[in-house]
Amino acid sequence: MSSAESLERLEVNLSPQERFEEYLQSRGQRQTKPRKFLVETIFSQHEHFDADELIEKLPRKGQPNYVSSATVYRSLREFVDAGLLISFQLDGRMVYELDYGYPPHDHLYCTRCRKLIEFRSEELMGIRDAEAAQHGFRVTGHRLIVQGVCRDCTGSRRKKRKQDLI
């Protein structure tokens, strides 16, 4: 999955690691080295990813900081439950993105190169809130993914004319 265009990070009181430890303590669980390594790895850069892409970046069996595939899948669910990540379906795959420390936003998705472009729109939020108020609806969140073709893919697909080849 292509890297996301950066959104400005929000000021938060706890680091992602501290936030996750707080979540685990509230459930009577303890922090483990693999979980800690996964939080560090995921929050080291702002990307959208699926579990297989994450596993591909991790150390292999026998190397330091190895994390099993089962631990990755289980931990990703816990990170979503803890409010660190958001997950959503895209092209039949579960995609994850950073949630903790980032503002609400939406996406443009290129169906050719699979690039996700993040954007924030106060106008869109205003329309959403006005519609919700009109219907007596309390908004707890939303997900908008606009599908299409990005500028790079549109430009590379343009047909060459004979006069351009001279």
Side-chain angles (χ1 to χ4, degrees):
M1 185 107 330
S2 296
S3 180
E5 293 194 7
S6 291
L7 292 174
E8 274 191 44
R9 291 187 77 148
L10 301 173
E11 184 95 15
V12 290
N13 292 331
L14 301 174
S15 71
Q17 200 67 255
E18 293 167 332
R19 170 84 182 250
F20 187 58
E21 287 176 19
E22 190 176 81
Y23 165 83
L24 290 172
Q25 286 175 357
S26 73
R27 281 154 181 71
Q29 298 176 347
R30 63 180 176 83
Q31 178 67 289
T32 63
K33 281 176 119 179
R35 285 174 171 157
K36 188 172 185 170
F37 180 72
L38 285 174
V39 170
E40 289 170 6
T41 301
I42 290 168
F43 276 83
S44 68
Q45 49 191 312
H46 185 83
E47 287 187 338
H48 296 92
F49 61 92
D50 65 24
D52 292 335
E53 289 167 333
L54 176 60
I55 290 167
E56 191 62 34
K57 292 180 180 181
L58 297 174
R60 302 281 173 235
K61 194 169 190 171
Q63 295 178 325
N65 293 319
Y66 166 73
V67 181
S68 72
S69 296
T71 299
V72 169
Y73 283 99
R74 188 172 44 253
S75 296
L76 287 173
R77 282 192 303 275
E78 291 174 329
F79 297 160
V80 170
D81 291 344
L84 296 178
L85 300 177
I86 290 177
S87 62
F88 55 95
Q89 287 283 329
L90 190 60
D91 285 345
R93 303 173 312 136
M94 186 63 72
V95 175
Y96 298 89
E97 72 171 329
L98 304 180
D99 185 28
Y100 184 66
Y102 289 90
H105 60 277
D106 296 295
H107 299 88
L108 302 173
Y109 175 65
C110 179
T111 56
R112 289 208 183 120
C113 69
R114 299 171 52 183
K115 178 171 151 183
L116 274 169
I117 301 167
E118 297 176 326
F119 71 94
R120 285 184 47 84
S121 170
E122 294 304 321
E123 293 165 304
L124 182 60
M125 299 294 254
I127 292 168
R128 179 200 71 181
D129 293 343
E131 285 296 316
Q134 183 179 4
H135 296 280
F137 189 82
R138 186 175 63 87
V139 176
T140 58
H142 80 269
R143 169 79 44 213
L144 175 66
I145 301 173
V146 180
Q147 296 183 354
V149 181
C150 71
R151 179 181 302 140
D152 294 339
C153 290
T154 300
S156 67
R157 189 160 163 85
R158 200 175 61 186
K159 291 184 179 178
K160 300 234 188 276
R161 301 175 302 171
K162 286 184 182 179
Q163 58 267 36
D164 292 337
L165 298 175
I166 296 175

mmCIF file of all heavy atoms in Angstrom, residues 10 12 19 43 46 79-80 82-86 97-105 143:
data_model
loop_
_atom_site.group_PDB
_atom_site.id
_atom_site.type_symbol
_atom_site.label_atom_id
_atom_site.label_comp_id
_atom_site.label_asym_id
_atom_site.label_seq_id
_atom_site.Cartn_x
_atom_site.Cartn_y
_atom_site.Cartn_z
ATOM 1 N N LEU A 10 -1.619 15.558 16.013
ATOM 2 C CA LEU A 10 -2.254 16.273 17.107
ATOM 3 C C LEU A 10 -1.413 16.119 18.364
ATOM 4 O O LEU A 10 -0.709 15.122 18.541
ATOM 5 C CB LEU A 10 -3.654 15.710 17.369
ATOM 6 C CG LEU A 10 -4.650 15.765 16.214
ATOM 7 C CD1 LEU A 10 -5.920 15.023 16.587
ATOM 8 C CD2 LEU A 10 -4.954 17.206 15.849
ATOM 9 N N VAL A 12 -0.902 15.014 21.939
ATOM 10 C CA VAL A 12 -1.522 14.014 22.804
ATOM 11 C C VAL A 12 -0.733 13.922 24.106
ATOM 12 O O VAL A 12 0.458 14.241 24.142
ATOM 13 C CB VAL A 12 -1.592 12.621 22.122
ATOM 14 C CG1 VAL A 12 -2.586 12.621 20.981
ATOM 15 C CG2 VAL A 12 -0.237 12.170 21.629
ATOM 16 N N ARG A 19 -0.130 4.779 25.847
ATOM 17 C CA ARG A 19 -1.572 4.601 25.646
ATOM 18 C C ARG A 19 -1.911 3.116 25.580
ATOM 19 O O ARG A 19 -2.903 2.664 26.160
ATOM 20 C CB ARG A 19 -1.984 5.314 24.349
ATOM 21 C CG ARG A 19 -3.376 5.032 23.871
ATOM 22 C CD ARG A 19 -4.417 5.922 24.548
ATOM 23 N NE ARG A 19 -5.752 5.598 24.111
ATOM 24 C CZ ARG A 19 -6.512 6.367 23.350
ATOM 25 N NH1 ARG A 19 -6.074 7.540 22.958
ATOM 26 N NH2 ARG A 19 -7.710 5.979 23.002
ATOM 27 N N PHE A 43 4.286 2.994 14.534
ATOM 28 C CA PHE A 43 4.240 4.440 14.736
ATOM 29 C C PHE A 43 5.533 5.141 14.315
ATOM 30 O O PHE A 43 5.643 6.355 14.439
ATOM 31 C CB PHE A 43 3.883 4.778 16.181
ATOM 32 C CG PHE A 43 2.401 4.767 16.419
ATOM 33 C CD1 PHE A 43 1.739 3.585 16.678
ATOM 34 C CD2 PHE A 43 1.662 5.935 16.340
ATOM 35 C CE1 PHE A 43 0.372 3.558 16.868
ATOM 36 C CE2 PHE A 43 0.295 5.927 16.530
ATOM 37 C CZ PHE A 43 -0.353 4.736 16.786
ATOM 38 N N HIS A 46 4.189 7.186 9.047
ATOM 39 C CA HIS A 46 2.750 7.341 8.799
ATOM 40 C C HIS A 46 2.411 6.666 7.476
ATOM 41 O O HIS A 46 2.616 7.236 6.413
ATOM 42 C CB HIS A 46 2.391 8.830 8.760
ATOM 43 C CG HIS A 46 0.931 9.077 8.630
ATOM 44 N ND1 HIS A 46 0.085 9.069 9.720
ATOM 45 C CD2 HIS A 46 0.144 9.304 7.559
ATOM 46 C CE1 HIS A 46 -1.147 9.305 9.315
ATOM 47 N NE2 HIS A 46 -1.139 9.443 8.007
ATOM 48 N N PHE A 79 -4.679 -3.236 18.892
ATOM 49 C CA PHE A 79 -4.346 -1.830 18.632
ATOM 50 C C PHE A 79 -5.578 -1.050 18.171
ATOM 51 O O PHE A 79 -5.746 0.109 18.518
ATOM 52 C CB PHE A 79 -3.230 -1.715 17.592
ATOM 53 C CG PHE A 79 -1.914 -2.327 18.007
ATOM 54 C CD1 PHE A 79 -0.968 -2.653 17.049
ATOM 55 C CD2 PHE A 79 -1.605 -2.592 19.337
ATOM 56 C CE1 PHE A 79 0.248 -3.211 17.410
ATOM 57 C CE2 PHE A 79 -0.388 -3.164 19.713
ATOM 58 C CZ PHE A 79 0.536 -3.474 18.740
ATOM 59 N N VAL A 80 -6.441 -1.710 17.393
ATOM 60 C CA VAL A 80 -7.694 -1.068 16.978
ATOM 61 C C VAL A 80 -8.580 -0.860 18.206
ATOM 62 O O VAL A 80 -9.110 0.233 18.424
ATOM 63 C CB VAL A 80 -8.422 -1.901 15.898
ATOM 64 C CG1 VAL A 80 -9.833 -1.376 15.655
ATOM 65 C CG2 VAL A 80 -7.615 -1.907 14.596
ATOM 66 N N ALA A 82 -7.704 -0.539 21.232
ATOM 67 C CA ALA A 82 -7.076 0.441 22.127
ATOM 68 C C ALA A 82 -7.160 1.861 21.582
ATOM 69 O O ALA A 82 -6.786 2.812 22.268
ATOM 70 C CB ALA A 82 -5.610 0.064 22.350
ATOM 71 N N GLY A 83 -7.628 2.022 20.341
ATOM 72 C CA GLY A 83 -7.730 3.352 19.751
ATOM 73 C C GLY A 83 -6.443 3.849 19.124
ATOM 74 O O GLY A 83 -6.316 5.033 18.811
ATOM 75 N N LEU A 84 -5.486 2.953 18.918
ATOM 76 C CA LEU A 84 -4.234 3.340 18.265
ATOM 77 C C LEU A 84 -4.364 3.342 16.747
ATOM 78 O O LEU A 84 -3.781 4.181 16.066
ATOM 79 C CB LEU A 84 -3.092 2.398 18.661
ATOM 80 C CG LEU A 84 -2.685 2.385 20.126
ATOM 81 C CD1 LEU A 84 -1.584 1.364 20.347
ATOM 82 C CD2 LEU A 84 -2.251 3.762 20.593
ATOM 83 N N LEU A 85 -5.109 2.376 16.225
ATOM 84 C CA LEU A 85 -5.283 2.213 14.781
ATOM 85 C C LEU A 85 -6.760 2.209 14.415
ATOM 86 O O LEU A 85 -7.610 1.912 15.248
ATOM 87 C CB LEU A 85 -4.680 0.879 14.301
ATOM 88 C CG LEU A 85 -3.207 0.628 14.526
ATOM 89 C CD1 LEU A 85 -2.832 -0.779 14.039
ATOM 90 C CD2 LEU A 85 -2.355 1.670 13.834
ATOM 91 N N ILE A 86 -7.021 2.501 13.158
ATOM 92 C CA ILE A 86 -8.346 2.326 12.555
ATOM 93 C C ILE A 86 -8.164 1.269 11.473
ATOM 94 O O ILE A 86 -7.146 1.243 10.784
ATOM 95 C CB ILE A 86 -8.849 3.635 11.916
ATOM 96 C CG1 ILE A 86 -9.177 4.660 12.985
ATOM 97 C CG2 ILE A 86 -10.075 3.378 11.054
ATOM 98 C CD1 ILE A 86 -9.604 5.999 12.432
ATOM 99 N N GLU A 97 -4.551 2.083 9.583
ATOM 100 C CA GLU A 97 -3.879 3.379 9.570
ATOM 101 C C GLU A 97 -3.830 3.906 10.992
ATOM 102 O O GLU A 97 -4.620 3.504 11.853
ATOM 103 C CB GLU A 97 -4.576 4.372 8.655
ATOM 104 C CG GLU A 97 -5.891 4.886 9.162
ATOM 105 C CD GLU A 97 -6.434 6.030 8.327
ATOM 106 O OE1 GLU A 97 -5.661 6.810 7.765
ATOM 107 O OE2 GLU A 97 -7.663 6.138 8.252
ATOM 108 N N LEU A 98 -2.895 4.803 11.238
ATOM 109 C CA LEU A 98 -2.741 5.407 12.551
ATOM 110 C C LEU A 98 -3.976 6.239 12.876
ATOM 111 O O LEU A 98 -4.465 6.987 12.039
ATOM 112 C CB LEU A 98 -1.498 6.294 12.587
ATOM 113 C CG LEU A 98 -0.170 5.641 12.202
ATOM 114 C CD1 LEU A 98 0.951 6.652 12.294
ATOM 115 C CD2 LEU A 98 0.120 4.426 13.048
ATOM 116 N N ASP A 99 -4.459 6.089 14.095
ATOM 117 C CA ASP A 99 -5.587 6.883 14.562
ATOM 118 C C ASP A 99 -5.151 7.780 15.714
ATOM 119 O O ASP A 99 -5.427 8.967 15.716
ATOM 120 C CB ASP A 99 -6.725 5.959 15.013
ATOM 121 C CG ASP A 99 -7.980 6.720 15.407
ATOM 122 O OD1 ASP A 99 -8.200 7.829 14.875
ATOM 123 O OD2 ASP A 99 -8.748 6.208 16.239
ATOM 124 N N TYR A 100 -4.451 7.222 16.672
ATOM 125 C CA TYR A 100 -4.047 7.968 17.863
ATOM 126 C C TYR A 100 -3.056 9.069 17.482
ATOM 127 O O TYR A 100 -2.016 8.822 16.888
ATOM 128 C CB TYR A 100 -3.423 7.021 18.885
ATOM 129 C CG TYR A 100 -3.070 7.690 20.180
ATOM 130 C CD1 TYR A 100 -4.065 8.192 21.016
ATOM 131 C CD2 TYR A 100 -1.750 7.826 20.572
ATOM 132 C CE1 TYR A 100 -3.752 8.804 22.212
ATOM 133 C CE2 TYR A 100 -1.429 8.440 21.767
ATOM 134 C CZ TYR A 100 -2.433 8.932 22.582
ATOM 135 O OH TYR A 100 -2.122 9.554 23.763
ATOM 136 N N GLY A 101 -3.432 10.293 17.802
ATOM 137 C CA GLY A 101 -2.561 11.427 17.514
ATOM 138 C C GLY A 101 -2.766 12.031 16.138
ATOM 139 O O GLY A 101 -1.984 12.884 15.714
ATOM 140 N N TYR A 102 -3.805 11.597 15.430
ATOM 141 C CA TYR A 102 -4.082 12.136 14.095
ATOM 142 C C TYR A 102 -5.534 12.600 14.016
ATOM 143 O O TYR A 102 -6.414 11.984 14.604
ATOM 144 C CB TYR A 102 -3.803 11.095 13.008
ATOM 145 C CG TYR A 102 -2.326 10.849 12.857
ATOM 146 C CD1 TYR A 102 -1.688 9.862 13.592
ATOM 147 C CD2 TYR A 102 -1.561 11.649 12.011
ATOM 148 C CE1 TYR A 102 -0.324 9.667 13.491
ATOM 149 C CE2 TYR A 102 -0.199 11.453 11.897
ATOM 150 C CZ TYR A 102 0.419 10.461 12.641
ATOM 151 O OH TYR A 102 1.768 10.286 12.543
ATOM 152 N N PRO A 103 -5.788 13.670 13.280
ATOM 153 C CA PRO A 103 -7.154 14.201 13.195
ATOM 154 C C PRO A 103 -8.039 13.334 12.298
ATOM 155 O O PRO A 103 -7.541 12.582 11.460
ATOM 156 C CB PRO A 103 -6.938 15.579 12.546
ATOM 157 C CG PRO A 103 -5.713 15.410 11.713
ATOM 158 C CD PRO A 103 -4.837 14.454 12.482
ATOM 159 N N PRO A 104 -9.368 13.459 12.456
ATOM 160 C CA PRO A 104 -10.283 12.751 11.548
ATOM 161 C C PRO A 104 -10.041 13.235 10.115
ATOM 162 O O PRO A 104 -9.786 14.422 9.893
ATOM 163 C CB PRO A 104 -11.676 13.172 12.022
ATOM 164 C CG PRO A 104 -11.483 13.754 13.377
ATOM 165 C CD PRO A 104 -10.088 14.249 13.450
ATOM 166 N N HIS A 105 -10.085 12.314 9.178
ATOM 167 C CA HIS A 105 -9.816 12.667 7.783
ATOM 168 C C HIS A 105 -10.455 11.630 6.867
ATOM 169 O O HIS A 105 -10.970 10.621 7.323
ATOM 170 C CB HIS A 105 -8.312 12.753 7.526
ATOM 171 C CG HIS A 105 -7.603 11.465 7.800
ATOM 172 N ND1 HIS A 105 -7.200 11.091 9.057
ATOM 173 C CD2 HIS A 105 -7.236 10.458 6.977
ATOM 174 C CE1 HIS A 105 -6.615 9.913 8.997
ATOM 175 N NE2 HIS A 105 -6.625 9.494 7.741
ATOM 176 N N ARG A 143 -16.417 7.322 7.661
ATOM 177 C CA ARG A 143 -15.332 6.892 6.783
ATOM 178 C C ARG A 143 -15.755 7.195 5.355
ATOM 179 O O ARG A 143 -16.784 6.716 4.898
ATOM 180 C CB ARG A 143 -15.092 5.394 6.959
ATOM 181 C CG ARG A 143 -14.194 4.745 5.945
ATOM 182 C CD ARG A 143 -12.710 4.941 6.138
ATOM 183 N NE ARG A 143 -12.316 4.770 7.503
ATOM 184 C CZ ARG A 143 -11.325 5.455 8.067
ATOM 185 N NH1 ARG A 143 -10.644 6.323 7.386
ATOM 186 N NH2 ARG A 143 -11.005 5.284 9.320
#
